[in-house]
Amino acid sequence: MRRFNLTVLAALTLGAGLTAAPAQAYGGHRPPGLENCTATACHFDVAPGTYDVQVVLGGAAASSTSLAGETRRALLPETAVPAGERVARSFTVNVRTPEGEPTGPAGTPGLDLTLGGTAPALADIRVTPARHARQIFLVGDSTVCDQPGDPYAGWGQQLPQYLRKGVSVANYADSGESTVTYLGNPQLWATVQPQIHRGDLVLVQLAHNDKTTDEATYRANLETLVAGVREKGGQPVLVTPIVRRWFNADGTLNNGTALLVNGLGVNHPEIVREVAAAEDVPLIDLTAKTKAVVESLGVEGSKALYLYNEKRDNTHTSVHGATVYAGLVRDELLTQHLVPKGRVRVG
C-alpha cells in the first residue's frame, strides 16, 4: 500500500534548489504550487506550451516518489529520500492539444501530473513557463507514441524521465502511421514541422507500418522528412525501428519479421542506415540495439519487454520494455553528444 505525505515547507526557499519565477509573471502572485495538488495528483490551468516543473520530495518518513503526466508520460523516475530529508528535482514538460497521440482525443486542458512510487511524498512544487528550452520532437508509430492505456507503452512515452530541466519531449508519434501516412495527414507532419526551431532535435522512427511501401518511396519519404527538419533549422536524427520479438529455432532474430523486411523485400533498417549516411544525419540504430537486448534475454526472458504474456503481442512493448528501450535512446543521445550531459539523467 502506498503512503503519501503532502507538506508545505514554509521556510523552503532558494536554498532548496528552487528558483522562483518573477511574481509579475503571475499577476503579482507566486507561481502555481501545492494548492493545485491533492494527495495523488496535481492540475495546473496553463495554456499549451513548455513548462519547467520544480519539485521538492520527502517528508517525516522515508519516501519514494515518481511523477507521470498528461497521457501516462514518465516525467521523473522513482526517487528515494531518507526520513526527514528533502531532495529537489526539476524537469521540463510539453503541454499540447491533443495531449497524447496527435490523432487521438484532446485530453484534459492544462497540465496534469500524477504521483507514484512505493511511498510518495511531495513537499513542494512550482510550475513556470520554460525559457529557451530545447525540444526533442518524436515522429513515429505505436512503438514510440504516448499510449493511452495499460498495458501498452511507447519508448517515447518513457523518454522524458531520462531528461533534466531544459529539454522537453514533444511526442508526435501516432499509432498505425507509415512514412506515407505521416507525411500525408495534416495532423501529423504538417503540424510538427512549423513548431521546429533552430537547435531542436527531431527523432524519426517510421517503418512498422510501411508494409506495402516500395523501396524508392520509403527512401524518398525519409529524405523529405530530413529536408523538412533542416529547413526549419532543426537537427534530424534517423532511428531504425525496434525489433519484433520473433525468434528463430536457434534463438536469434535473423528473419524478416523480426528485422522489419516488408512483403516487397524492403529492408527498412538498412534503408534508414543508408539514408542517414547519404544525408550525413545522426543515426540511432535501435534495431541492432533492441535485437541484442532481446537475444540476450532469450525466448522466455524477453517476453516481459513486449506484451506477449498479456496479449500474445510481439511488436508492442510493455512499460518495462518501453523504459528499457528509452534508456537505449538516452544512451545514444549522450554518446553522440546530441544532448548535453548535464541535461540527461544517468544511473
Side-chain angles (χ1 to χ4, degrees), residues 34 43 60 62 75 79 82 84 88 93 128 137 145 148 163 181 189 197 235 240 265 270 277 280 301 319-320 347:
L34 282 175
H43 173 77
L75 298 173
T79 302
V93 61
T128 57
F137 290 93
C145 75
L163 301 171
T181 61
W189 182 239
H197 294 98
Q235 170 67 73
T240 60
E270 191 55 37
D280 193 24
V319 171
H320 168 64

Side-chain angles (χ1 to χ4, degrees), residues 19-246:
T19 303
Q24 59 266 29
Y26 297 92
H29 302 289
R30 70 196 303 240
L34 282 175
E35 69 276 6
N36 294 277
C37 300
T38 67
T40 57
C42 302
H43 173 77
F44 298 90
D45 290 322
V46 296
T50 306
Y51 294 87
D52 291 331
V53 179
Q54 303 173 83
V55 299
V56 176
L57 307 176
S63 63
S64 188
T65 310
S66 62
L67 280 169
E70 299 295 85
T71 304
R72 303 177 59 238
R73 298 180 216 159
L75 298 173
L76 188 70
E78 187 159 357
T79 302
V81 182
E85 295 187 16
R86 304 289 186 269
V87 170
R89 292 288 186 269
S90 60
F91 55 87
T92 301
V93 61
N94 171 255
V95 177
R96 62 182 183 273
T97 302
E99 70 177 35
E101 294 180 87
T103 63
T108 305
L111 171 61
D112 288 286
L113 302 174
T114 303
L115 279 87
T118 56
L122 178 64
D124 201 9
I125 185 168
R126 291 287 175 266
V127 175
T128 57
R131 308 297 181 192
H132 311 297
R134 188 182 189 189
Q135 296 276 25
I136 299 179
F137 290 93
L138 302 182
V139 170
D141 52 36
S142 59
T143 65
V144 185
C145 75
D146 287 350
Q147 289 282 358
D150 284 325
Y152 294 89
W155 63 254
Q157 199 166 24
Q158 300 300 313
L159 184 61
Q161 67 185 304
Y162 291 120
L163 301 171
R164 299 181 186 274
K165 177 183 173 183
V167 180
S168 174
V169 174
N171 190 351
Y172 280 86
D174 196 72
S175 294
E177 306 299 343
S178 65
T179 57
V180 176
T181 61
Y182 203 95
L183 284 167
N185 189 332
Q187 293 175 281
L188 299 172
W189 182 239
T191 296
V192 174
Q193 191 195 20
Q195 299 182 62
I196 301 169
H197 294 98
R198 184 165 302 280
D200 288 339
L201 291 179
V202 183
L203 275 58
V204 178
Q205 186 216 279
L206 287 166
H208 278 86
N209 300 301
D210 280 280
K211 298 174 183 177
T212 60
T213 309
D214 63 76
E215 180 174 330
T217 301
Y218 185 67
R219 187 186 300 272
N221 288 344
L222 293 176
E223 292 169 348
T224 296
L225 289 164
V226 167
V229 175
R230 286 176 165 165
E231 178 186 328
K232 304 298 288 187
Q235 170 67 73
V237 179
L238 292 179
V239 183
T240 60
I242 68 169
V243 294
R244 295 190 178 100
R245 184 189 162 276
W246 199 268

